[in-house]
Amino acid sequence: MVCGLKSVMEKFEKITATAVPLPIEDIDTDQIIPARFLKATTREGFGDNLFRDWRYDNQNNPKNDFVLNNPNYSGKILVAGKNFGCGSSREHAAWAISDYGFKVVISSFFADIFKNNALNNGLLPVQVSQSFLDTLFDKIFADKDTQLEVDLEAQTVSIAGANLVEHFDINQYKKTCLLNGYDDIDYLLNLKDTIETYEKTSKYLSLVSQEQEIEA
């Protein structure tokens, strides 16, 4: 974790929102956030440079053909092609996506390190089948106002108004953290009373066992 960086996790339960389609495969972390923008000491501001080289030309003018510059598409959900987040292990990629305003990334496959970085920073990576991903792209391109619903508790992603639902897997510990807005430290602090009770009970049981051994 970068020095001076404070984790602020929000509770994640259910999101219903429009989505931004990015049907490109093998999007790596250097494309998500180029290395030259990794010098900041806080998460804030990384969203300004999300997909920087795809969003802007050499004169820093927005490229009209890139989806983030298309006013027709917006929302808290990014729908991306297969093998999203491959490449280097930089956590900044998850920071940039979150700082831009996305809460969920949907793809048919995620690089493991990116997936873990996303979950550690309150960004939900939802892995679906390739056929379901293709359906999502078709629906979004056909109607920019298509609403997707991501239900973390039920572990489902669905298309509002259509009988199309798919279940997704998630590590149960990370699911608990997201639902409660915990980072790893918050999770341990939440268990403080339980841990202290166990320690007291464990010490008591240990003393009883020692006394029984002496008496024997």
Side-chain angles (χ1 to χ4, degrees), residues 62-215:
K63 296 180 180 179
N64 295 328
D65 60 348
F66 187 62
V67 68
L68 291 191
N69 297 325
N70 187 336
N72 289 326
Y73 297 105
S74 63
K76 297 181 179 180
I77 301 172
L78 176 65
V79 181
K82 181 180 180 181
N83 197 27
F84 187 85
C86 55
S88 72
S89 61
R90 68 189 63 165
E91 191 174 15
H92 307 71
W95 298 353
I97 295 170
S98 293
D99 190 60
Y100 186 82
F102 290 116
K103 301 295 184 184
V104 179
V105 181
I106 300 175
S107 179
S108 58
F109 184 80
F110 291 96
D112 287 338
I113 294 177
F114 172 82
K115 181 188 292 186
N116 289 330
N117 285 337
L119 290 169
N120 288 338
N121 287 278
L123 177 67
L124 178 62
V126 174
Q127 186 166 317
V128 298
S129 65
Q130 185 62 48
S131 60
F132 191 78
L133 182 67
D134 292 339
T135 298
L136 292 179
F137 282 130
D138 289 343
K139 293 291 184 180
I140 296 167
F141 282 122
D143 181 4
K144 62 182 178 59
D145 296 319
T146 296
Q147 296 267 319
L148 305 184
E149 180 178 278
V150 178
D151 188 331
L152 177 56
E153 182 63 51
Q155 295 179 217
T156 58
V157 55
S158 59
I159 302 173
N163 189 26
L164 295 169
V165 182
E166 183 152 305
H167 181 273
F168 63 88
D169 294 326
I170 185 172
N171 176 281
Q172 290 303 300
Y173 166 67
K174 293 301 183 183
K175 177 180 178 179
T176 297
C177 288
L178 285 172
L179 287 171
N180 290 279
Y182 293 157
D183 61 16
D184 291 335
I185 295 176
D186 293 328
Y187 180 83
L188 291 175
L189 291 175
N190 182 63
L191 297 177
K192 180 181 178 181
D193 291 343
T194 302
I195 294 172
E196 290 178 345
T197 299
Y198 172 79
E199 288 181 339
K200 291 177 182 178
T201 303
S202 178
K203 290 178 181 178
Y204 171 75
L205 292 176
S206 177
L207 290 172
V208 170
S209 177
Q210 291 177 13
E211 290 178 356
Q212 289 177 341
E213 290 179 0
I214 292 174
E215 291 176 355

Side-chain angles (χ1 to χ4, degrees), residues 16-67:
T16 301
T18 53
V20 176
L22 188 59
I24 301 174
E25 295 187 355
D26 304 318
I27 297 176
D28 66 38
T29 52
D30 194 55
Q31 292 163 330
I32 296 172
I33 181 71
R36 64 186 183 276
F37 298 112
L38 305 186
K39 299 177 181 179
T41 58
T42 66
R43 286 192 183 95
E44 292 74 21
F46 278 96
D48 294 337
N49 295 308
L50 176 66
F51 299 120
R52 180 76 189 194
D53 294 334
W54 289 352
R55 286 169 67 190
Y56 300 97
D57 62 22
N58 293 334
Q59 285 73 46
N60 292 322
N61 297 311
K63 296 180 180 179
N64 295 328
D65 60 348
F66 187 62
V67 68

